[in-house]
Amino acid sequence: MFLVLLLSFGIYVHSEKQVERVSEQRLNALLLADELRHSSESLTKMARSYIDIGDPMYKRYFFEILDMRDGRRASPRNPYYYWDLVVYGAKVPPADAGPVLPLLERVKSAAFGEYESGLLARAKALSDRLVQTEVAAIALYDQGGPDPAQNRRMAHDMLFGEDYRKAKLEIMRPISEFSDLMDARTRASVQQAVRYSDAFRSLFAALALLWFYLLWRSYRSLRSVLGGTPAHLHDALARIGYGDFTPDPHEPHEDDDSVLAWIDKTRRRLSDLAQAYEQSETKYKERSDYLAINNRILQQVSDGVALPEILGELMLRIEVLHPGALCSILLMNEAGDTLLQGAAPSLPDAYNRALARVPVADGVGSCGTAAFRGERVIVDDIQSHPYWRDFRDLAARAGVNACWSQPFKDREGKVLGTFAIYHRQTAMPSEQEIHLIEDYAKLARLAVARSRLAEELQRAQEIYQLVAENSNDVISVIALPDMQCLYVSPSIERQRGWTPGEFMQLPWLEVLTPDMRRRVLETVSPLLERIRHGDTANPVFSLEIDFPHKSGRLLPLEISATVTLNEAGEPTQLISIARDLSERRAAEEAIRKMAFYDRLTNLPNRRLLEDRLRQAIAAAERHCHAMGLLFIDLDKFKPVNDRFGHETGDWLLQQVAERMQHCVRGSDTVARIGGDEFVVLLPQLEVPQGAVRVAEKIRCALNDVFLTPGGQILEISSSIGVVFYPGHASNSRDLLRCGDEAMYRAKRSGRNTVELFAPLETLPSDTAPSPAKLDWVPAYVSQNAELDREHQQLFQCADELLELISRHGYQDKAAVAKALDALMALIEAHFAREESLMGNYGYAGMAEHAARHAALLSQASELRRLSELSAIPMAQVVEFVMKELVIGHMQRESSHFMDMLSPHLKGLEAPL
């Protein structure tokens, strides 16, 4: 039934839309006819104005109108007042780009009947014939000759004569007939659409009545089960939930076996129990007498009466209501460690002076303790209570023997002060008096909080004025909905060049570029529309625009704005803060540059290289082509740096980067990943050998001498490792590792060479052990005896592990694990010693080297754990330790450090 109702409503809406469409068609027809009439009138105005005045401007306008009507020129979007403004205005208003289409073509495309289109075509033909007369009159007017005045009179007679007026009348007749025909035809269509709409509206109303009838039947059935209306049931349950057990005030239930009848029986049973509670509640009625001072205190707060006066009157009124009570208020200082005198009109002055500053601490009287604990403190006998041991004599002289203190707090739970009631005799408060103490403390809190709020508002106003007048951001207030600037801070002159007075006179929306104006309106208009529909949850917005400076340049601004509402919830003002983004955008661009590019060479850094490498691998996998990486390390760069200085070294790195970029394609990437290390990414290779040719080209380019601006000749070379995808590795991590290994092989091969990656032989597996041995050769010797001794110890310990595996395989896993752990302990100690030596020598790459140590040890530890869980074979752990921690680390990372110890140290090689 509900779906049928929805369907009928949809059909009804469709019929209403049909009425709108027919009306729109009628409007379009009349607009086209009126445009034809108006264009003819405009042509007449321009021609006659030219003949009367002789100003060539009207002649130009005449032919512009003719071009627009015939589709040779774009028409203004609203031609009905455009040329009127032209004739009577000081200058031509801008013509927005309208349709570039002859008027007759637009008539044909409007799908009128053949006869109606013929009428407009006839009117157009008559108008064109009249145009010929107007053109002839203009030509005659422009014609020279012996008697130009005669020509002008003849031209005037052509345009103002009886024949001309008759021709104008002939144009109007078919247009009038067209309007009458279209009016009759569309009126019939509208009437037909209205009849359909009325029929479907009646159908929808009938279905709606049927739907309401069915709902009413359901409601009657539900009421029979409930014994009353659902509202009665809700009221009954709510009353029970709130503890109201009085008899049901509604009519007797329709059925004694209904739900409401059961609830009423239960309520009656509970009513007897509730009467005793109600009797005790009546005792609290007296409370209204004690709280009569509420209105007075609140009125004083709202009138802005000074806080001491409010508190003093509060104390006196409480004392009047409670004879024998002496009231006091102490206020917390800003530091939160001392209570200051607020008001105590009935306590002796000597007592008040002595307790003008009460420390906030545990055990310091009733008030100091209450403020410290944040809870009520009751002292019924001051002379015997330990909290008052330091104030007993003072209390005795003041004649007080009991003190009840209640702290009051702000919304955040911070103690604002204490309210205390003194008695001249020892006394313990009743439950009713405790409630009164709490209520009076709330009044004190209200007075103190409002007073401090007023002070904070005053300070905030002063701060706001200071910020508004001195902030670099521009604060402005815009009236809604006319978007008129009501206020702008003085910083507008520093930011945009205008003084506040100049800017407030500007139509600031019109100053914006069309695109920026559109962005502002597209942001503000939906927000205002949402607020007008009642959604005021988040009346703020933020956007970035380019605002014109007074000088004409565009200034990037970040606009943060809040819409303020009146009491009716309507938007009234727009408060905005505009911040100049010029420096931030420049900084963001610089940060982006720093994050992905090397500052010295302006080449991509390692982060950008890894990102492009992942993209290149994905593209190569998708399109099934090869790609390559070239790892390049400069030979003899450090001696150049040491001899000629870092400035020359930096210049040399820049020249190296430039030469390498000239050796590759625009789609290739040259990146600097370290001090003198570079990587070239070749994302697409027709044949893998192409990477070797590029590497050789780079090697030759870097082998040529470099001539510095100072005339020094620098000679370096390069060691280049080449690796392919997918031939050598299938992921970025392995490609980088293999390329790095190939590059170090090139250095060990004598440098100034290109080395193609070839996999090393692996160590034996758990099931098929094979012998292996590390050989120490004199080429490994550095200039540091202690470092050489540790390296030899590492090789010796590694050989013992390999010999154990060679003899017995991995059958005795406990022995292999013990030997491996001994080697790992020695490696860890060696890494620590190596880092110490780096610090002593001032090695620049120490931090990166130490991080590499930590990463290698972490990887080895994880592999060791996996092998203990039998997730991987022990052989894989041994292979990693030998290749990466013993051999690979010394060949790669340590080689840079060892170069510093021995400039002539050759490349390392440790065959297994």
Side-chain angles (χ1 to χ4, degrees):
M1 183 63 191
F2 182 67
L3 293 177
V4 173
L5 184 64
L6 286 179
L7 179 60
S8 65
F9 180 73
I11 296 174
Y12 161 65
V13 171
H14 175 75
S15 64
E16 291 288 349
K17 291 292 184 181
Q18 182 64 25
V19 173
E20 294 178 6
R21 283 193 292 271
V22 172
S23 300
E24 184 178 358
Q25 181 182 12
R26 178 186 182 187
L27 176 62
N28 289 337
L30 295 177
L31 288 176
L32 283 173
D34 193 50
E35 184 174 349
L36 176 58
R37 180 197 62 78
H38 193 273
S39 65
S40 179
E41 287 297 319
S42 297
L43 287 169
T44 299
K45 287 180 182 179
M46 299 304 168
R48 285 180 171 179
S49 298
Y50 177 65
I51 296 303
D52 276 347
I53 301 174
D55 190 343
M57 173 182 67
Y58 295 105
K59 177 182 176 181
R60 186 177 72 253
Y61 293 161
F62 174 85
F63 288 105
E64 285 182 3
I65 296 172
L66 193 59
D67 290 342
M68 290 177 186
R69 190 174 72 170
D70 293 341
R72 295 186 295 271
R73 183 185 182 97
S75 300
R77 292 197 178 276
N78 196 331
Y80 307 108
Y81 62 82
Y82 179 84
W83 291 108
D84 294 334
L85 293 175
V86 168
V87 173
Y88 300 111
K91 62 178 181 179
V92 179
D96 296 335
V100 184
L101 192 67
L103 185 60
L104 282 183
E105 293 297 327
R106 283 188 278 156
V107 170
K108 293 177 182 179
S109 64
F112 302 141
E114 183 177 351
Y115 182 72
E116 291 91 333
S117 299
L119 287 173
L120 288 184
R122 178 185 171 192
K124 173 64 168 55
L126 291 172
S127 179
D128 290 343
R129 190 180 307 163
L130 190 62
V131 165
Q132 293 175 3
T133 301
E134 293 164 345
V135 170
I138 291 173
L140 182 59
Y141 182 87
D142 293 337
Q143 184 177 348
D147 191 2
Q150 177 64 23
N151 292 341
R152 292 172 182 173
R153 284 193 298 272
M154 292 174 62
H156 182 275
D157 292 341
M158 290 175 68
L159 297 185
F160 289 90
E162 184 64 26
D163 292 340
Y164 187 86
R165 286 193 292 272
K166 290 180 179 179
K168 290 291 291 185
L169 180 61
E170 288 299 320
I171 295 173
M172 296 297 109
R173 285 173 179 168
I175 293 176
S176 176
E177 185 179 355
F178 170 83
S179 299
D180 293 340
L181 287 174
M182 290 305 299
D183 185 63
R185 190 174 72 172
T186 54
R187 186 185 304 111
S189 299
V190 169
Q191 291 174 352
Q192 180 65 23
V194 168
R195 285 196 295 272
Y196 283 131
S197 175
D198 292 341
F200 286 119
R201 186 187 299 114
S202 300
L203 175 61
F204 174 71
L207 292 174
L209 289 175
L210 178 59
W211 174 260
F212 286 127
Y213 172 73
L214 294 177
L215 288 177
W216 179 79
R217 288 291 303 272
S218 301
Y219 171 76
R220 293 297 301 172
S221 299
L222 178 63
R223 178 162 181 163
S224 176
V225 173
L226 297 179
T229 65
H232 293 167
L233 176 61
H234 176 272
D235 181 62
L237 293 175
R239 291 176 64 198
I240 292 178
Y242 286 113
D244 181 6
F245 307 128
T246 57
D248 190 352
H250 300 296
E251 295 293 330
H253 304 298
E254 300 169 0
D255 188 352
D256 290 340
D257 196 29
S258 64
V259 174
L260 280 173
W262 301 337
I263 293 175
D264 191 52
K265 292 175 183 177
T266 303
R267 184 189 296 112
R268 290 180 184 279
R269 295 190 189 99
L270 295 174
S271 179
D272 295 337
L273 298 175
Q275 287 179 357
Y277 178 77
E278 289 176 358
Q279 291 173 359
S280 62
E281 281 260 325
T282 56
K283 296 180 181 180
Y284 285 96
K285 186 178 179 300
E286 299 174 0
R287 223 174 134 199
S288 59
D289 298 332
Y290 299 106
L291 297 178
I293 60 174
N294 276 2
N295 293 337
R296 174 60 181 166
I297 298 299
L298 292 175
Q299 184 63 41
Q300 286 183 312
V301 171
S302 64
D303 290 343
V305 177
L307 180 61
E309 184 178 345
I310 295 176
L311 297 180
E313 183 171 343
L314 174 62
M315 300 300 98
L316 291 174
R317 284 178 172 269
I318 294 174
E319 291 169 358
V320 169
L321 293 173
H322 300 275
L326 305 175
C327 299
S328 167
I329 284 184
L330 299 179
L331 301 178
M332 185 73 74
N333 67 351
E334 292 185 1
D337 58 1
T338 304
L339 291 172
L340 307 178
Q341 190 63 243
S346 299
L347 289 173
D349 291 340
Y351 183 84
N352 289 335
R353 287 193 299 270
L355 296 182
R357 299 180 63 86
V358 178
V360 176
D362 200 19
V364 180
S366 299
C367 295
T369 305
F372 179 80
R373 296 180 180 178
E375 60 185 23
R376 182 173 53 255
V377 173
I378 302 297
V379 173
D380 60 340
D381 187 355
I382 290 176
Q383 297 303 318
S384 63
H385 202 284
Y387 293 168
W388 284 82
R389 59 181 176 271
D390 296 334
F391 309 102
R392 287 170 183 165
D393 293 341
L394 183 64
R397 290 194 298 271
V400 292
N401 285 288
C403 180
W404 313 332
S405 182
Q406 173 73 38
F408 51 90
K409 308 174 183 178
D410 60 15
R411 293 181 178 179
E412 288 74 28
K414 181 181 178 181
V415 174
L416 296 176
T418 60
F419 168 73
I421 295 180
Y422 291 86
H423 288 275
R424 298 192 181 280
Q425 295 81 27
T426 59
M428 180 65 69
S430 64
E431 183 178 354
Q432 178 184 359
E433 289 173 324
I434 287 177
H435 286 302
L436 289 173
I437 293 173
E438 292 175 346
D439 288 338
Y440 294 144
K442 290 177 183 178
L443 281 175
R445 178 188 68 185
L446 178 62
V448 173
R450 289 287 181 87
S451 177
R452 291 185 177 178
L453 178 60
E455 295 175 358
E456 291 174 0
L457 287 175
Q458 179 63 29
R459 288 196 297 269
Q461 184 176 1
E462 295 172 355
I463 293 173
Y464 171 77
Q465 185 175 0
L466 180 66
V467 169
E469 292 180 356
N470 296 279
S471 173
N472 287 327
D473 297 339
V474 174
I475 303 171
S476 58
V477 179
I478 307 297
L480 297 175
D482 56 2
M483 303 297 279
Q484 178 66 35
C485 183
L486 302 178
Y487 168 80
V488 64
S489 60
S491 53
I492 185 74
E493 187 169 5
R494 294 193 300 273
Q495 187 184 89
R496 305 178 211 172
W498 282 292
T499 65
E502 291 173 342
F503 187 81
M504 290 177 65
Q505 297 300 320
L506 286 175
W508 65 274
L509 270 178
E510 300 301 325
V511 174
L512 294 175
T513 63
D515 183 56
M516 292 299 105
R517 188 184 314 119
R518 178 184 54 78
R519 288 189 59 193
V520 170
L521 294 178
E522 287 180 353
T523 302
V524 176
S525 299
L527 175 61
L528 297 181
E529 188 66 23
R530 178 166 58 83
I531 293 174
R532 292 189 184 99
H533 284 80
D535 184 3
T536 60
N538 190 28
V540 298
F541 69 87
S542 178
L543 79 158
E544 295 183 5
I545 63 171
D546 293 331
F547 200 99
H549 191 272
K550 186 177 181 180
S551 63
R553 62 185 176 89
L554 291 179
L555 188 70
L557 298 179
E558 179 186 51
I559 308 294
S560 299
T562 300
V563 178
T564 61
L565 311 177
N566 58 17
E567 295 180 355
E570 300 170 341
T572 58
Q573 291 180 343
L574 197 64
I575 302 176
S576 69
I577 299 176
R579 175 164 297 173
D580 187 353
L581 297 181
S582 302
E583 294 183 2
R584 192 179 83 181
R585 288 190 179 177
E588 289 173 351
E589 178 61 23
I591 292 171
R592 189 193 71 81
K593 198 83 171 176
M594 292 170 60
F596 295 102
Y597 289 87
D598 176 56
R599 282 189 289 181
L600 177 62
T601 62
N602 206 29
L603 293 177
N605 60 13
R606 179 183 291 273
R607 180 183 297 176
L608 184 55
L609 170 69
E610 291 176 350
D611 181 67
R612 291 185 179 179
L613 178 57
R614 286 191 293 269
Q615 296 179 24
I617 291 174
E621 182 179 3
R622 184 167 58 253
H623 300 294
C624 299
H625 61 70
M627 58 158 287
L629 280 179
L630 311 182
F631 278 71
I632 304 167
D633 187 87
L634 302 183
D635 306 326
K636 299 177 289 186
F637 173 74
K638 188 178 183 305
V640 171
N641 214 26
D642 293 341
R643 179 181 176 186
F644 297 100
H646 291 292
E647 290 186 4
T648 301
D650 291 346
W651 176 87
L652 180 57
L653 289 173
Q654 292 171 345
Q655 297 301 310
V656 166
E658 184 176 342
R659 288 191 183 185
M660 285 194 291
Q661 285 179 305
H662 290 158
C663 296
V664 299
R665 302 165 299 185
S667 60
D668 301 332
T669 297
V670 179
R672 183 187 178 204
I673 62 172
D676 59 351
E677 293 185 355
F678 299 83
V679 173
V680 177
L681 170 62
L682 306 174
Q684 184 170 358
L685 296 172
E686 294 183 1
V687 292
Q689 198 63 27
V692 178
R693 289 195 294 270
V694 174
E696 188 62 29
K697 184 178 179 181
I698 293 175
R699 187 193 66 79
C700 293
L702 300 183
N703 200 37
D704 291 341
V705 297
F706 293 82
L707 182 62
T708 69
Q712 296 99 343
I713 297 177
L714 307 180
E715 293 184 274
I716 61 170
S717 60
S718 59
S719 299
I720 304 177
V722 183
V723 62
F724 300 138
Y725 170 89
H728 294 146
S730 60
N731 58 70
S732 60
R733 180 178 59 83
D734 290 343
L735 277 172
L736 293 171
R737 179 181 58 80
C738 295
D740 198 47
E741 185 174 330
M743 183 265 290
Y744 279 101
R745 288 186 185 179
K747 293 186 74 70
R748 292 196 303 270
S749 299
R751 307 188 181 187
N752 194 20
T753 186
V754 175
E755 184 77 19
L756 184 63
F757 173 76
L760 293 174
E761 296 178 358
T762 60
L763 289 174
S765 66
D766 288 358
T767 58
S770 60
K773 189 174 186 302
L774 299 180
D775 294 327
W776 177 266
V777 295
Y780 296 163
V781 176
S782 69
Q783 290 185 346
N784 188 283
E786 185 174 357
L787 189 62
D788 291 337
R789 183 169 61 254
E790 290 188 4
H791 282 159
Q792 291 176 359
Q793 291 175 354
L794 282 176
F795 272 57
Q796 182 179 355
C797 187
D799 283 341
E800 292 175 358
L801 173 60
L802 294 176
E803 184 177 359
L804 176 63
I805 296 173
S806 176
R807 290 181 179 180
H808 305 290
Y810 292 89
Q811 295 178 357
D812 190 354
K813 292 189 176 182
V816 174
K818 182 178 179 182
L820 180 60
D821 291 341
L823 176 60
M824 287 298 302
L826 192 59
I827 291 172
E828 187 171 358
H830 168 66
F831 281 177
R833 177 58 184 161
E834 196 175 72
E835 292 171 13
S836 176
L837 283 174
M838 290 178 189
N840 294 338
Y841 280 97
Y843 179 48
M846 176 181 173
E848 184 178 355
H849 202 98
R852 181 61 178 164
H853 283 169
L856 289 172
L857 291 173
S858 176
Q859 288 179 268
S861 176
E862 178 63 15
L863 291 174
R864 183 77 174 85
R865 185 184 67 82
L866 293 174
S867 70
E868 291 177 352
L869 298 174
S870 300
I872 60 173
M874 180 67 77
Q876 186 173 342
V877 184
V878 174
E879 179 182 6
F880 177 80
V881 171
M882 295 299 175
K883 284 188 175 182
E884 299 296 333
L885 275 72
V886 179
I887 302 171
H889 182 68
M890 188 170 70
Q891 291 175 338
R892 292 192 297 269
E893 286 81 2
S894 295
S895 65
H896 295 289
F897 177 57
M898 293 170 68
D899 281 347
M900 187 175 71
L901 297 178
S902 178
H904 305 291
L905 185 63
K906 302 296 182 181
L908 301 178
E909 185 174 5
L912 285 173

